[in-house]
Amino acid sequence: MTQAWIPSERELDRRDVRRRQRLFSVLVATVTTLTVFGLVGAVVLSSPGWPTVQKTFFDWHHAKESFPSVRDGFWINVKLFLICEPIILVLALAVALARSARSAWLVPVRLVAAFYTDVFRGIPTILLVVLLAFGMPALGLQGVPNSALFWAGVALVLSYGAYVAEVFRSGIDSIHPSQVASAEALALSRSQTLRFVVVPQAVRRVLPPLLNDFVSLQKDTALVAAAGIFDAVFAARDYGNYNFNYTPLVVVACFFIVMTVPLARFTDWLQRRYAERERAGAR
């Protein structure tokens, strides 16, 4: 019968030392954090203008009064994000594959893809939203939607599609040439190699950066307010301009924090997991 392992006295001493070190680190971190935030809070609350700021930005009455309209407007932001995100993924992957094409016949496609990424990464997203939301309906084209919300969504797709395409392309370029050579040795075509070998590995590698981009997209849906779309930000500004109080803007900020923080924490966890896998030599 195998005898159970019993730690030695020296091992028990090591464990006790490590436990005391962890407790000391936690104590120092807690005291430091409470001290810093306490000092910041004391400075803010004791400042001469705090009563005015509190009345203007942190009024509970105005928070309750504006909550229904902000909530209804925020639903537009959520729907816009949920619709744009899958479209961006498809567009960005197509652009990345086009830029990675090797065939001489696809040179025009590769040039168009490069032009697209250069142009739409260079235009500020808010400017693109305003140009499309106001400019496209003004053309009066038959059979083309005239909704400002539709074209604001198109602007977000075009802008973020260019950024995400470069993320995909970096993932594709990071795959070692030996993977492609192995696929060719198995008589796989170029399209089959991309589909079954390169793209799956590339997507796994760039998943954390992709999630970071979508955290930004969640926030940037607020840019549609610049086109007069009655989203959460527009509702808050409308209430503030009418009541001369800007507490609704803080309410909107809380809505976006509740939506983005979980995805941000999941992204951090995923990055740590991938880093651990890389250190362990996993693929």
Side-chain angles (χ1 to χ4, degrees):
M1 184 174 180
T2 304
Q3 185 177 3
W5 177 73
I6 300 175
S8 64
E9 292 185 3
R10 179 165 294 185
E11 175 62 23
L12 293 175
D13 291 339
R14 291 195 190 99
R15 292 181 181 181
D16 186 59
V17 170
R18 286 195 292 267
R19 181 181 60 83
R20 290 199 302 267
Q21 288 176 340
R22 286 195 298 268
L23 289 176
F24 180 74
S25 297
V26 171
L27 179 62
V28 171
T30 303
V31 172
T32 304
T33 302
L34 292 177
T35 302
V36 170
F37 282 101
L39 289 175
V40 171
V43 170
V44 172
L45 295 179
S46 62
S47 60
W50 169 246
T52 302
V53 172
Q54 183 182 23
K55 183 178 180 181
T56 306
F57 291 94
F58 300 99
D59 189 284
W60 180 247
H61 169 73
H62 289 291
K64 291 191 298 182
E65 289 294 321
S66 63
F67 184 85
S69 59
V70 171
R71 178 197 58 206
D72 294 341
F74 188 72
W75 179 235
I76 293 178
N77 296 101
V78 173
K79 289 192 293 185
L80 195 61
F81 168 73
L82 294 177
I83 292 172
C84 291
E85 180 178 357
I87 300 174
I88 290 170
L89 285 173
V90 174
L91 172 64
L93 183 57
V95 172
L97 292 175
R99 295 202 65 181
S100 302
R102 297 179 180 176
S103 174
W105 296 98
L106 295 178
V107 169
V109 176
R110 190 161 62 244
L111 292 176
V112 170
F115 178 79
Y116 162 76
T117 55
D118 290 343
V119 169
F120 286 98
R121 283 190 303 162
I123 302 176
T125 305
I126 188 171
L127 180 58
L128 194 61
V129 168
V130 172
L131 289 175
L132 291 185
F134 289 124
M136 293 304 297
L139 292 176
L141 299 175
Q142 295 296 324
V144 175
N146 290 324
S147 169
L149 179 61
F150 173 83
W151 288 109
V154 171
L156 291 176
V157 168
L158 292 175
S159 181
Y160 271 87
Y163 288 103
V164 176
E166 289 301 285
V167 174
F168 275 130
R169 191 165 73 94
S170 66
I172 292 172
D173 291 342
S174 70
I175 304 301
H176 198 272
S178 62
Q179 300 281 327
V180 178
S182 299
E184 292 175 351
L186 295 173
L188 294 180
S189 65
R190 174 66 178 173
S191 60
Q192 290 174 325
T193 301
L194 288 173
R195 179 181 176 185
F196 296 111
V197 179
V198 176
V199 172
Q201 295 184 73
V203 170
R204 285 196 298 269
R205 291 188 178 186
V206 301
L207 192 56
L210 282 179
L211 292 176
N212 276 324
D213 281 337
F214 287 127
V215 170
S216 298
L217 176 62
Q218 285 179 331
K219 297 181 297 181
D220 280 352
T221 56
L223 297 178
V224 301
I229 298 169
F230 204 84
D231 73 325
V233 176
F234 191 93
R237 287 166 47 195
D238 184 66
Y239 182 95
N241 293 335
Y242 185 78
N243 294 278
F244 301 100
N245 188 279
Y246 300 102
T247 302
L249 294 176
V250 179
V251 176
V252 174
C254 293
F255 269 97
F256 277 101
I257 289 173
V258 169
M259 187 172 73
T260 57
V261 166
L263 182 56
R265 295 287 72 78
F266 175 72
T267 302
D268 292 342
W269 172 81
L270 199 61
Q271 287 176 328
R272 288 194 300 270
R273 182 186 176 193
Y274 281 175
E276 291 171 359
R277 286 170 59 88
E278 288 289 335
R279 286 194 294 268
R283 295 290 181 183

